[in-house]
Amino acid sequence: MPSPDTFSWTDIDDICLGLYEKFPDVEPLKVTFPELREMVENLEGFEPDPGQSVNEQILEAIQVGWYEEKQEADGENDDDKESYSPNMPYR
């Protein structure tokens, strides 16, 4: 069983945050899947579960999540979050 400080291929959010922190200047959508796999495998705390494999679907989810993490952190998100409030009554 992995320790609480580790994460594996299915921990997409942890991977995306780790990639953003380690590679803040890398454009996620320009990274090939083989490069992305190597980058993830070299993140501190990455420990795949025994017998767990990675596929294109997981790598694509990581790439998109990393891109969104970077957009949000860099203030480039197109969503107008300030004007949306789920608790505000419809006007």
Side-chain angles (χ1 to χ4, degrees):
M1 182 167 184
S3 79
D5 296 333
T6 63
F7 51 92
S8 65
W9 285 114
T10 56
D11 299 311
I12 305 293
D13 291 338
D14 293 328
I15 291 171
C16 295
L17 182 59
L19 289 169
Y20 176 73
E21 289 175 348
K22 188 169 182 177
F23 307 102
D25 298 326
V26 173
E27 177 55 51
L29 301 181
K30 293 185 179 182
V31 176
T32 65
F33 284 170
E35 291 170 329
L36 181 58
R37 180 181 182 148
E38 184 176 336
M39 292 166 89
V40 171
E41 289 172 341
N42 288 312
L43 286 175
E44 185 175 332
F46 179 75
E47 194 173 299
D49 294 331
Q52 184 182 42
S53 62
V54 64
N55 58 36
E56 191 172 301
Q57 185 178 9
I58 291 172
L59 291 171
E60 184 175 18
I62 291 169
Q63 188 176 46
V64 169
W66 179 19
Y67 173 78
E68 290 172 352
E69 180 75 34
K70 182 173 174 51
Q71 292 288 86
E72 187 176 309
D74 293 348
E76 296 176 14
N77 197 339
D78 291 336
D79 294 340
D80 187 11
K81 292 182 180 179
E82 290 182 6
S83 67
Y84 175 73
S85 177
N87 296 324
M88 180 184 285
Y90 182 77
R91 294 183 191 179

